[in-house]
């Protein structure tokens, strides 16, 4: 999970569109601005951490568990399906039910960023699982 969280954080080096729009609307020297610029940066960091804890970790664990006896591609699709549902629930709860038009662009942004990080998680979990299987098969093959 640390690898996927770090990759997710790296995707935020390219700021989301909503953060750029909000940052442009909040000049640093304007005391009448609704939101100071540092709060926009904190919102991006909070969004990253919230997505990692509420969506990425549960979907990675549940998706790889559901796809444990399947190929890596099927496991990845299951991880993305669980992440898509959890992301909609998270955004729906955070933005409210009446703002469906705002949910879709945010959902697409979080899913695009999360899909890269979750691909790394599925790859690493498959690699570690096959390495563990090879180690457990080694002594049995040598003994026979």
């Amino acid at each position: 999970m640390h690898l996927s969280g770090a990759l997710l954080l790296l995707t935020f080096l390219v700021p989301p569109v909503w953060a750029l729009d909000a940052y442009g609307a909040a000049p640093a020297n304007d005391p009448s601005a609704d939101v100071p610029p540092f709060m926009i940066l904190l919102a991006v960091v909070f969004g990253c951490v919230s997505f990692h804890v509420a969506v990425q970790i549960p979907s990675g664990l549940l998706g790889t568990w559901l796809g444990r006896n399947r190929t890596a591609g099927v496991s990845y699709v299951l991880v993305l399906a669980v992440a898509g549902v959890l992301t909609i629930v998270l955004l729906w709860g955070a933005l409210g039910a009446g703002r469906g038009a705002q949910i879709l662009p945010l959902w697409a942004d979080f899913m695009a960023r999360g899909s890269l990080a979750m691909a790394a998680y599925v790859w690493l979990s498959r690699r570690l699982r096959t390495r563990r299987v090879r180690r457990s098969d080694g002594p049995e093959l040598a003994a026979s």
Side-chain angles (χ1 to χ4, degrees), residues 43-63:
V44 170
V45 171
F46 180 73
C48 177
V49 170
S50 300
F51 182 78
H52 182 65
V53 170
V55 174
Q56 197 175 19
I57 291 173
S59 65
L61 294 174
L62 183 61

Side-chain angles (χ1 to χ4, degrees), residues 6 34 36 44 48 62 75 88 97 109 122 135 142:
D34 292 337
V44 170
C48 177
L62 183 61
S75 183
I88 289 240
D109 182 63
V122 169
R135 273 192 232 148

Side-chain angles (χ1 to χ4, degrees), residues 3-144:
L3 173 68
S4 64
L7 287 175
L8 179 68
L9 187 59
L10 286 175
T11 64
F12 278 94
L13 289 176
V14 176
V17 173
W18 63 266
L20 293 175
D21 290 343
Y23 194 78
N29 57 0
D30 185 9
S32 66
D34 292 337
V35 178
F38 74 90
M39 291 299 290
I40 298 166
L41 177 64
L42 288 178
V44 170
V45 171
F46 180 73
C48 177
V49 170
S50 300
F51 182 78
H52 182 65
V53 170
V55 174
Q56 197 175 19
I57 291 173
S59 65
L61 294 174
L62 183 61
T64 53
W65 179 75
L66 290 172
R68 66 190 175 277
N69 294 328
R70 295 178 176 85
T71 65
V74 171
S75 183
Y76 180 63
V77 167
L78 290 170
V79 167
L80 287 182
V82 173
V85 170
L86 290 176
T87 303
I88 289 240
V89 170
L90 178 70
L91 290 174
W92 199 279
L95 297 177
R99 302 191 178 221
Q102 289 180 345
I103 289 177
L104 186 60
L106 286 173
W107 179 84
D109 182 63
F110 276 113
M111 288 303 298
R113 294 172 190 277
S115 65
L116 297 171
M118 288 184 280
Y121 174 74
V122 169
W123 173 79
L124 185 64
S125 66
R126 287 289 176 168
R127 187 166 178 99
L128 292 175
R129 186 177 304 134
T130 56
R131 185 176 292 163
R132 195 175 333 138
V133 169
R134 278 191 217 138
R135 273 192 232 148
S136 66
D137 286 345
E140 292 173 5
L141 292 175
S144 54

